[in-house]
Amino acid sequence: MRSAFICFLFFIGFKVSAQQVSVSGKITDDNGKPVPFASVYIQNTTLGASANSEGDYSLQLKPGQYVVQYKAMGLKQETRKVDLKESKVINITLSTAVYQLQTVSITGNGEDPAYAIIRKAIKKRKTYLNEVKAYTCDVYIKGLQKLLDAPKKFLGRDINQIGRQIGLDSNRRGIVYLSESESKYSFMYPGKVHEEMISSKVSGSNRAFSFNRASDLRVNFYENFETWVGISLRPLISPIADNALFYYNYKYIGETVENGKTINKIQVIPRRAHDPCFEGYVYIQDDSWRLVALDLYITKKANISLADTIKINQQFVPVSNKAWMTSTIRFDFTGGLFGFKLGGYFISVYKNYALNPTFNKKDFNEVLRITKGINKKDSTYWQQERPIPLTSEEKTDYKKKEVLAAKRESKPYLDSIDKVNNKFNLLRLTLSGMSLRDRYKKEYYRFDPLLGTFFFNTVQGFAFNYKTSFTKMTDTANNRFFRVGANIGYGISDHILNGGANMLIPVSQFTLGLDAGSDIVDMNNLQPISTLSNTVHGLFAKQNYQKLYQKQFASASLSGRITGGWQAVATVEWANRNWLPNTSAYSFSNNNVYTSNNPLLPAQNIPLFPQNQSFKLSLRTTYDFSNQYETHPNGRRYLPSPYPTIGLSFTKGIKNVLSSDVDYGKLSADISKSDISMGVYGHTSFFIGAGKFLTASSLYYPDYNQFRGNEGLFYRGGISSFLLLNYYTYSTRTEYIEGHFEHNFSGFITNKIPIIRKLKLQEIVHINYLSSPELKNYYELGLGVQYLNLKVLYGTSYNSGSNIHSAIRLGISL
């Protein structure tokens, strides 16, 4: 019986495999050179494939009769009728396409006929944008990145050694990322997507999942703009955008006939070299005026980041009598930084479209699903499923790195890497700190840099506060971990020893935080000035902006996501608080006189508040109106919301609990949103907040509502920060309303100025407002530029219409 059953399974397996045959071969041009990434499609279907970079193709089909179409940009389409009873090899030669000026003529004084075609395409843009309200399809994606050149050493690291670990050759060249994936992709207008990855293969890792995402590669030139975050600060203008004629010149190349339809080839040329525009060709069908293909590129002249050149090739196929959908998209890129040069591509092949299925909006709360096991498909599966054959280089990379992957995931190998990394290095400990790792156990010990440990203020004099921690990852996919940390500090001038310990413990989907000890802390609990900035101002300008007090405390907090976009944190704290006087007047400068540690009476060394005990309960909750998330094998990861976030906070000081002296209740609310796209005009951020003390029977200065002021040259960024407001003077125990607005023009102005445009500066406008009983109508205006993470702003402030202060501010965000 068992033998018969095995024979039966073998027979079934044979019959199933026999249902799949292939048509394969090589695609070359008239000169015999391979045509990379040519499209291969079955006529009147969305079944298709793509040649690889060497011109080889393979298409898996059931036995039957087919009409196979072969096409590539700039080459004449070829068609073959195939009767497939068994696998066949068909090599194809694609001739250069001839685009003839048959129906139009270009006169010396007349407008190029391309403009008439483009105007018709622009007029039809919205029709085709909204043509298909929903669809599903299958997507195959291959991504490849190669290191083309690299320095021998970088930041003290031996790149040759790293290269050997990741499979590079002796010249530090080779494939650094090779991955394939298949997904089921769903779309519903106006931009809702759901992607379920059904298979994944990553060269060099048996555990990783592909970074390939169909949603990341999706482009739609029927939209006015393409927003490529991280690549371009500005949205990129489509060649058929509503205002495209302002940005582009067009040249009619000619027409050709494909499948009985006339196709116009038009060259697109940016009017201004440094606008966020594409160059290349668009192919538009006569009469319908729809896009049937694009072959475009953009260079660093348009101020793109990271890459020198990005090419995009997109082809469409008719899915129904009225709808054309994407058949392939390919991105090619080259670029470099700090002596490293990279090149590569991502290509996606789409098939099995189903148009206008019935969806529920809730179907799109989950944007991405990756389940366990999809990265365990064997080589037989991939040979049957991949629509783009592997090149010889890619086959070698998979084979070579399969051995490396098994080695890298073994305990002996991880221990050997950790042994090298964990060697004591005084310079590294001083400048950047050290992390001792046990990668196999996912345990990490962190020792802060010695350089950042030492500081100066007028309360402690020269002082240090050293921190160390231990972290154990419990859920890598969702960044869940257990952590315990400790710190110890001492002031040379005040002779006060401080120290503490803290813990973060994962509890279901929440995190429990425990903290206790003694510390010297800022009277402004928002800590608007950094310790480093205060040290610099004190030692070099004799300006002691930071005002401090001692707090001995114990606290506990519970934070996490309640559901969807709803998050909350609850904190309970007991503290003994003690005001401290200045104990040091040391400075490299004698130009100024230090103020006292009382911000309200800077000329008098009088305590701002008496020693007191505080027991308080704080609740904070936010909601961002979005329930979108990604599902990974180890849990969910929620995505940032496109909507504003609203927040609600309540703090209650409770008297007579553990000798507490405070008795008050404060309620506040806020709404905020960062990076709201304004198209070619950049992006906007805002924050609006208001609060009121419902009761204020007994409270002290640290309990007041504080604001993110700034008085020094350097300021801490953040949408709720002021540029010129005093750190402490206008803290309130009554009520307030504040508003902050920042607009980043993303180079809209500076990119039009020669030479300056090379700096890739971003223009910044700040407007801040505050009203409270202590400060009636205070507002600020700031203008400046941003370069990478450095901001330079000139700010001026007004109170009830009168100018009170103007200054330059520098901000660095890390």
Side-chain angles (χ1 to χ4, degrees):
M1 176 66 73
R2 181 179 177 184
S3 298
F5 182 65
I6 292 174
C7 290
F8 175 75
L9 290 179
F10 177 81
F11 175 76
I12 292 296
F14 175 79
K15 293 292 289 184
V16 169
S17 63
Q19 296 302 307
Q20 289 287 330
V21 293
S22 68
V23 55
S24 61
K26 196 174 191 70
I27 303 174
T28 57
D29 61 16
D30 289 330
N31 298 317
K33 294 182 178 180
V35 178
F37 303 111
S39 293
V40 183
Y41 263 82
I42 303 303
Q43 191 177 59
N44 299 323
T45 76
T46 61
L47 294 174
S50 171
N52 62 22
S53 60
E54 297 174 346
D56 298 315
Y57 77 94
S58 178
L59 185 57
Q60 303 293 324
L61 298 166
K62 294 180 180 180
Q65 295 181 341
Y66 299 95
V67 177
V68 187
Q69 295 179 330
Y70 303 84
K71 59 190 299 185
M73 293 290 186
L75 300 176
K76 185 178 179 181
Q77 177 179 293
E78 290 289 335
T79 300
R80 294 288 187 274
K81 292 183 179 180
V82 180
D83 186 2
L84 278 183
K85 296 178 181 178
E86 58 184 17
S87 295
K88 288 188 177 182
V89 175
I90 302 177
N91 296 320
I92 296 293
T93 298
L94 298 182
S95 302
T96 301
V98 178
Y99 289 87
Q100 299 181 351
L101 299 172
Q102 293 179 346
T103 60
V104 295
S105 61
I106 303 174
T107 62
N109 298 322
E111 183 183 68
D112 192 295
Y115 286 87
I117 297 171
I118 288 294
R119 288 191 183 98
K120 292 173 182 177
I122 292 173
K123 189 175 181 180
K124 296 286 286 186
R125 181 188 69 81
K126 287 186 178 179
T127 300
Y128 296 133
L129 176 64
N130 303 319
E131 183 176 44
V132 178
K133 298 292 186 182
Y135 66 85
T136 64
C137 65
D138 297 328
V139 187
Y140 165 87
I141 302 174
K142 181 197 286 187
L144 180 142
Q145 296 177 30
K146 297 176 67 175
L147 192 61
L148 305 177
D149 198 9
K152 293 182 179 180
K153 287 192 175 183
F154 182 71
L155 296 178
R157 302 293 300 274
D158 187 343
I159 305 302
N160 278 320
Q161 181 184 9
I162 296 174
R164 287 192 295 270
Q165 294 173 6
I166 62 176
L168 302 182
D169 64 20
S170 59
N171 294 315
R172 303 170 301 284
R173 297 172 184 169
I175 295 175
V176 293
Y177 176 78
L178 171 61
S179 178
E180 301 172 275
S181 67
E182 294 178 298
S183 296
K184 188 74 174 179
Y185 187 75
S186 301
F187 171 85
M188 185 171 73
Y189 185 83
K192 294 183 178 296
V193 300
H194 175 264
E195 181 176 354
E196 181 173 2
M197 190 176 289
I198 58 177
S199 63
S200 170
K201 184 176 179 66
V202 180
S203 182
S205 177
N206 298 322
R207 299 181 181 180
F209 294 89
S210 174
F211 290 112
N212 302 343
R213 302 287 187 272
S215 51
D216 291 340
L217 296 180
R218 179 180 175 267
V219 293
N220 189 344
F221 284 92
Y222 290 119
E223 298 277 3
N224 282 320
F225 310 110
E226 286 297 315
T227 302
W228 293 356
V229 178
I231 296 176
S232 175
L233 294 173
R234 303 170 294 169
L236 305 174
I237 313 297
S238 167
I240 59 168
D242 289 339
N243 60 346
L245 293 172
F246 176 76
Y247 288 95
Y248 289 99
N249 287 319
Y250 302 91
K251 182 179 180 181
Y252 184 76
I253 302 302
E255 66 178 31
T256 190
V257 176
E258 285 186 4
N259 303 320
K261 300 289 186 180
T262 299
I263 308 298
N264 300 290
K265 182 179 181 179
I266 296 174
Q267 185 178 6
V268 298
I269 308 160
R271 287 183 179 269
R272 293 162 293 275
H274 300 278
D275 277 350
C277 295
F278 296 93
E279 301 178 61
Y281 301 92
V282 294
Y283 299 79
I284 298 175
Q285 190 181 79
D286 223 34
D287 297 330
S288 68
W289 314 114
R290 68 164 71 245
L291 295 170
V292 296
L294 305 107
D295 192 12
L296 302 171
Y297 66 93
I298 191 166
T299 70
K300 59 184 179 182
K301 286 192 301 183
N303 265 2
I304 59 174
S305 303
L306 302 178
D308 294 331
T309 302
I310 298 177
K311 298 179 181 179
I312 177 170
N313 179 300
Q314 184 176 19
Q315 298 193 43
F316 301 85
V317 293
V319 177
S320 68
N321 292 332
K322 294 183 178 180
W324 286 56
M325 303 296 290
T326 298
S327 59
T328 60
I329 298 177
R330 189 179 85 249
F331 287 90
D332 296 87
F333 57 89
T334 57
L337 191 66
F338 302 127
F340 293 88
K341 292 184 180 180
L342 282 169
Y345 67 84
F346 283 91
I347 184 169
S348 53
V349 179
Y350 300 77
K351 64 179 182 180
N352 297 332
Y353 279 99
L355 303 186
N356 298 313
T358 300
F359 285 131
N360 189 310
K361 288 185 178 180
K362 292 183 178 179
D363 296 336
F364 296 93
N365 288 343
E366 183 184 63
V367 175
L368 174 69
R369 172 174 285 271
I370 302 176
T371 54
K372 292 181 179 180
I374 66 167
N375 58 348
K376 305 302 181 184
K377 310 287 188 180
D378 60 20
S379 58
T380 301
Y381 173 88
W382 284 105
Q383 288 173 5
Q384 292 290 326
E385 293 296 323
R386 64 167 60 98
I388 306 176
L390 296 177
T391 65
S392 55
E393 182 184 34
E394 292 164 353
K395 291 176 182 177
T396 301
D397 191 74
Y398 271 137
K399 186 176 182 179
K400 178 176 66 175
K401 291 182 180 176
E402 185 177 1
V403 177
L404 287 176
K407 178 182 176 182
R408 282 202 300 264
E409 293 169 4
S410 67
K411 188 177 186 302
Y413 179 82
L414 293 175
D415 288 345
S416 68
I417 295 297
D418 290 338
K419 185 177 180 180
V420 174
N421 176 80
N422 295 343
K423 287 182 179 179
F424 178 77
N425 185 306
L426 181 59
L427 181 62
R428 188 165 51 144
L429 178 63
T430 301
L431 298 178
S432 61
M434 288 190 62
S435 294
L436 306 183
R437 306 168 182 170
D438 187 330
R439 299 173 198 243
Y440 190 79
K441 294 182 179 179
K442 296 182 174 61
E443 296 177 350
Y444 307 88
Y445 297 86
R446 172 65 183 171
F447 299 90
D448 277 9
L450 296 175
L451 190 62
T453 296
F454 297 95
F455 54 89
F456 173 84
N457 60 63
T458 54
V459 171
Q460 298 174 278
F462 287 97
F464 72 88
N465 187 21
Y466 193 74
K467 298 179 181 179
T468 184
S469 66
F470 165 78
T471 301
K472 169 73 174 180
M473 298 300 300
T474 59
D475 183 350
T476 305
N478 294 288
N479 196 31
R480 303 284 288 165
F481 56 85
F482 165 80
R483 176 176 293 165
V484 58
N487 71 285
I488 185 169
Y490 183 75
I492 303 298
S493 183
D494 66 356
H495 307 295
I496 296 177
L497 179 68
N498 294 288
N502 58 80
M503 297 178 67
L504 291 176
I505 307 169
V507 181
S508 186
Q509 74 268 31
F510 299 99
T511 298
L512 174 65
L514 302 174
D515 202 355
S518 175
D519 204 357
I520 306 296
V521 297
D522 200 320
M523 291 184 192
N524 185 326
N525 53 37
L526 300 176
Q527 298 179 314
I529 182 171
S530 70
T531 300
L532 175 61
S533 179
N534 186 70
T535 298
V536 172
H537 279 285
L539 292 178
F540 292 93
K542 214 166 190 178
Q543 295 169 325
N544 57 323
Y545 289 123
Q546 198 173 43
K547 307 303 178 182
L548 306 163
Y549 73 99
Q550 185 182 35
K551 181 170 78 168
Q552 293 139 346
F553 65 96
S555 69
S557 66
L558 188 66
S559 61
R561 189 178 301 274
I562 297 176
T563 181
W566 182 17
Q567 300 184 69
V569 56
T571 305
V572 59
E573 180 193 77
W574 175 87
N576 177 62
R577 304 179 297 192
N578 185 30
W579 181 84
L580 298 172
N582 287 341
T583 63
S584 176
Y586 183 82
S587 177
F588 302 149
S589 171
N590 294 317
N591 294 333
N592 299 312
V593 176
Y594 280 128
T595 59
S596 75
N597 196 44
N598 184 333
L600 305 184
L601 295 171
Q604 302 180 46
N605 198 29
I606 299 174
L608 179 60
F609 56 85
Q611 181 178 357
N612 63 86
Q613 286 76 46
S614 165
F615 183 85
K616 64 180 182 180
L617 174 66
S618 299
L619 302 172
R620 167 76 174 169
T621 183
T622 61
Y623 186 70
D624 66 5
F625 297 94
S626 175
N627 294 321
Q628 290 191 321
Y629 59 90
E630 296 178 349
T631 300
H632 294 265
N634 293 319
R636 289 182 178 179
R637 184 175 74 87
Y638 282 84
L639 303 179
S641 170
Y643 307 105
T645 297
I646 58 171
L648 188 66
S649 302
F650 178 73
T651 301
K652 176 62 179 175
I654 306 172
K655 197 168 186 177
N656 298 326
V657 175
L658 299 176
S659 303
S660 174
D661 300 309
V662 299
D663 184 8
Y664 66 91
K666 181 180 72 171
L667 181 67
S668 63
D670 54 80
I671 181 170
S672 62
K673 183 73 181 84
S674 297
D675 297 328
I676 304 169
S677 176
M678 296 294 173
V680 295
Y681 301 106
H683 53 268
T684 291
S685 302
F686 73 88
F687 176 94
I688 300 172
K692 182 179 178 62
F693 281 84
L694 306 179
T695 60
S697 301
S698 177
L699 71 164
Y700 303 89
Y701 185 87
D703 303 311
Y704 287 19
N705 192 87
Q706 318 285 351
F707 303 103
R708 296 184 187 275
N710 185 68
E711 297 178 84
L713 175 63
F714 302 98
Y715 80 102
R716 283 187 166 180
I719 186 55
S720 61
S721 296
F722 291 90
L723 294 173
L724 303 163
L725 184 70
N726 187 283
Y727 293 118
Y728 306 97
T729 304
Y730 302 110
S731 300
T732 183
R733 57 177 292 166
T734 52
E735 59 191 14
Y736 71 93
I737 182 170
E738 65 177 312
H740 305 266
F741 169 87
E742 178 186 286
H743 185 76
N744 185 325
F745 283 95
S746 299
F748 180 77
I749 300 171
T750 56
N751 195 63
K752 296 176 174 59
I753 305 173
I755 300 178
I756 291 179
R757 67 166 61 99
K758 294 182 179 181
L759 299 176
K760 299 184 179 181
L761 299 177
Q762 306 168 56
E763 313 86 343
I764 307 291
V765 175
H766 266 281
I767 300 175
N768 303 310
Y769 175 80
L770 175 63
S771 179
S772 69
E774 292 80 8
L775 194 63
K776 298 299 181 183
N777 285 294
Y778 173 87
Y779 53 98
E780 300 175 343
L781 174 64
L783 300 173
V785 294
Q786 178 175 335
Y787 175 72
L788 299 178
N789 293 327
L790 173 66
K791 291 182 180 180
V792 180
L793 293 163
Y794 176 79
T796 184
S797 62
Y798 302 84
N799 190 11
S800 299
S802 300
N803 180 265
I804 57 175
H805 190 42
S806 298
I808 292 176
R809 294 289 182 253
L810 302 178
I812 301 176
S813 57
L814 300 176

